[in-house]
Amino acid sequence: MQPNRGDQLVVAGMKPNSLVARNSVFDRIHRGTTFIVFIDGLIVMYLFWAIASAISPTLSKLVLCFVAIICYVTWNSYRSKVAWAYWPAAILIFIAGLFFALNALDSIIFVISGNVGGLLFLFLTGWASIGSFRRFMYHFNPIYKSGYFNFESDGIDFQLEQGEMLAACPKCMAVLAIRPSMLSASDRCPHCQAPLIDPNLAAKYGLTEQE
């Protein structure tokens, strides 16, 4: 795998010919993340309303209005790629991710206690938590950041070199440009650091780690 090409942010499952459009990749990811910010903003509104309701019903209405304004302005600004909204939107996603994670842990306890009916809720909250944290981590990716702030080069416009092909990381589904003939058991995804070849599969076919 080329050291400087494998860390480019690409939507898993995207057709290779769609990569020729410079901004198409970022725009698709940004639209999806903007939708997540909107949904997670509703979750954050509910969370703060529930906390304020435990203190005072009157206070809860004021808190709900205040948080609703903040969430709407943040979402609308993030959708328009306003600079200040970048990290506030990421924080909204992170808070919602924590909310889903806590509910997932509660569901685990519920299931362990013998109520199998909680498995569905565990799956939903666990999936939502993983999705939210993954979207939050996008904001640390320099390629996503450069696309959001309209830097001169977003690193997305590239062509496959001779012998390269597109392949998805088996864990985080980031699409990487790899050379199959040079892939070894030691190669890892530059995004999540997971092995690109399953260790059991590597052992089965005698693929050794390159020194």
Side-chain angles (χ1 to χ4, degrees):
M1 185 176 62
Q2 296 287 71
N4 296 326
R5 291 166 59 77
D7 58 351
Q8 301 179 73
L9 184 65
V10 182
V11 176
M14 178 173 291
K15 296 179 181 179
N17 58 9
S18 66
L19 298 177
V20 297
R22 181 176 183 82
N23 293 321
S24 62
V25 175
F26 169 78
D27 289 341
R28 294 186 186 188
I29 298 174
H30 180 253
R31 282 197 299 268
T33 306
T34 299
F35 178 73
I36 296 298
V37 171
F38 178 78
I39 298 300
D40 286 354
L42 297 179
I43 299 297
V44 171
M45 287 168 55
Y46 167 77
L47 182 61
F48 277 86
W49 172 82
I51 295 174
S53 295
I55 301 174
S56 169
T58 303
L59 177 64
S60 66
K61 296 179 181 179
L62 296 175
V63 170
L64 180 61
C65 292
F66 180 72
V67 176
I69 293 173
I70 292 178
C71 290
Y72 174 78
V73 172
T74 300
W75 166 76
N76 191 53
S77 299
Y78 185 83
R79 183 180 60 172
S80 302
K81 294 189 287 188
V82 178
W84 70 263
Y86 188 78
W87 286 113
I91 292 174
L92 284 180
I93 297 175
F94 182 74
I95 293 175
L98 287 178
F99 173 78
F100 289 130
L102 290 176
N103 277 275
L105 290 175
D106 184 65
S107 297
I108 291 177
I109 298 175
F110 198 55
V111 171
I112 292 177
S113 65
N115 196 318
V116 184
L119 283 174
L120 177 60
F121 194 68
L122 171 61
F123 171 77
L124 293 175
T125 54
W127 176 81
S129 176
I130 293 174
S132 292
F133 286 133
R134 182 176 296 175
R135 291 283 179 170
F136 171 73
M137 293 304 298
Y138 280 0
H139 294 79
F140 291 93
N141 189 292
I143 306 302
Y144 184 83
K145 184 180 295 185
S146 64
Y148 182 91
F149 290 104
N150 293 316
F151 291 165
E152 182 177 351
S153 173
D154 57 15
I156 291 176
D157 187 15
F158 70 96
Q159 297 292 329
L160 290 177
E161 296 179 355
Q162 184 66 30
E164 286 187 337
M165 64 175 290
L166 296 179
C169 168
K171 182 178 180 181
C172 70
M173 296 305 293
V175 175
L176 311 172
I178 67 168
R179 294 181 184 271
S181 60
M182 300 177 63
L183 200 61
S184 71
S186 63
D187 288 321
R188 294 181 174 273
C189 173
H191 294 290
C192 66
Q193 300 303 314
L196 293 179
I197 299 179
D198 183 87
N200 295 329
L201 186 64
K204 179 179 179 180
Y205 291 97
L207 299 176
T208 57
E209 297 190 1
Q210 295 180 351
E211 298 296 336

